[in-house]
Amino acid sequence: MITMRPVLRVDVHDGDFAFWPVAEVKSYGHLPLTGGLSSAEVGTAMMRIVGCNDVGPAPGEGFPPPPADPLGSFLHGMLTSEEPIVGGGLLVVDTSKGVVVSPGCCCGLEDWREWQGVVDEGDPPWLGHDPQPTAERLGDTVRLTLDSAKSDSPVIELPGGELDRLLKGVERDLSDFVALAADWASHHLPDHAIPLEAALSRLLDLPSPTGPRQR
């Protein structure tokens, strides 16, 4: 069986994060983004996503300065960026062979739709480095290589139609995560819930929310 999940790269933090509750997650590991996360895991995901975009605009770019309050300043980059980013990508597992192809360093989850290029026999996605995973179309088969820098690297092979099905599942997982995160924000960050949901949808290349959610 082959599975595919959108994942967030989680790095070390110093334990002093105090804006909202977060879960203990293995450092330099991957956190799946689905609708099944606990509230604390959503908090960890949001800490990482917002933190990746906690960069002030360069002088002269015309963006408003961040608010003076610490929380508003932390959220400012995520809420104002037209192209937010976050480390992560798609993690593929062949459970029958025990092969795992995970996103490499510097891969961004915001580019997950580039995998469609493999289905359409267009440009393959860049999946990061260290290791250097690759995805390529070979006729009717898609081959995923764990580390293309090694001649004996493990691979996962699947029909092109199966990859298309898996990508539709990724979109469902991400949509479920955004809905869960919107509900989480309504409790933990009520003054920022609507713009945060819009920013998440923009980041993950999902349809923008059209209005308040029914609860």
Side-chain angles (χ1 to χ4, degrees):
M1 179 179 179
I2 297 175
T3 63
M4 174 180 277
R5 291 287 182 268
V7 295
L8 185 70
R9 180 177 171 85
V10 181
D11 295 334
V12 171
H13 70 92
D14 59 15
D16 293 331
F17 188 81
F19 289 131
W20 55 75
V22 296
E24 290 293 331
V25 179
K26 181 181 179 182
S27 296
Y28 301 113
H30 290 105
L31 176 66
L33 294 188
T34 71
L37 300 181
S38 68
S39 178
E41 287 173 329
V42 175
T44 295
M46 294 305 296
M47 175 185 68
R48 174 60 175 153
I49 291 170
V50 174
C52 278
N53 296 279
D54 184 23
V55 179
E61 287 187 349
F63 292 100
D69 67 288
L71 175 59
S73 179
F74 181 56
L75 296 173
H76 183 71
M78 177 68 186
L79 296 181
T80 59
S81 174
E82 295 182 359
E83 297 182 348
I85 60 172
V86 66
L90 303 186
L91 185 146
V92 187
V93 179
D94 185 335
T95 58
S96 65
K97 297 180 179 178
V99 178
V100 178
V101 176
S102 58
C105 179
C106 298
C107 185
L109 183 56
E110 71 276 4
D111 295 326
W112 74 271
R113 285 197 185 274
E114 292 184 2
W115 279 77
Q116 192 64 40
V118 183
V119 177
D120 300 335
E121 299 188 73
D123 293 332
W126 184 77
L127 305 181
H129 59 88
D130 193 27
Q132 188 174 320
T134 58
E136 57 184 333
R137 187 73 179 258
L138 302 172
D140 294 330
T141 300
V142 172
R143 176 180 293 169
L144 310 179
T145 303
L146 173 61
D147 190 348
S148 60
K150 298 180 179 180
S151 60
D152 59 347
S153 174
V155 301
I156 295 176
E157 293 187 337
L158 66 158
E162 176 68 4
L163 177 57
D164 192 43
R165 184 188 69 81
L166 291 171
L167 289 173
K168 287 181 171 63
V170 167
E171 184 169 22
R172 287 193 298 271
D173 282 340
L174 291 174
S175 296
D176 289 347
F177 168 73
V178 171
L180 182 65
D183 185 67
W184 172 91
S186 71
H187 292 89
H188 294 277
L189 299 168
D191 293 339
H192 304 282
I194 292 176
L196 271 175
E197 182 180 7
L200 279 175
S201 297
R202 188 164 62 250
L203 165 69
L204 300 173
D205 199 6
L206 298 171
S208 298
T210 57
R213 293 186 179 276
Q214 300 297 317
R215 305 191 187 284

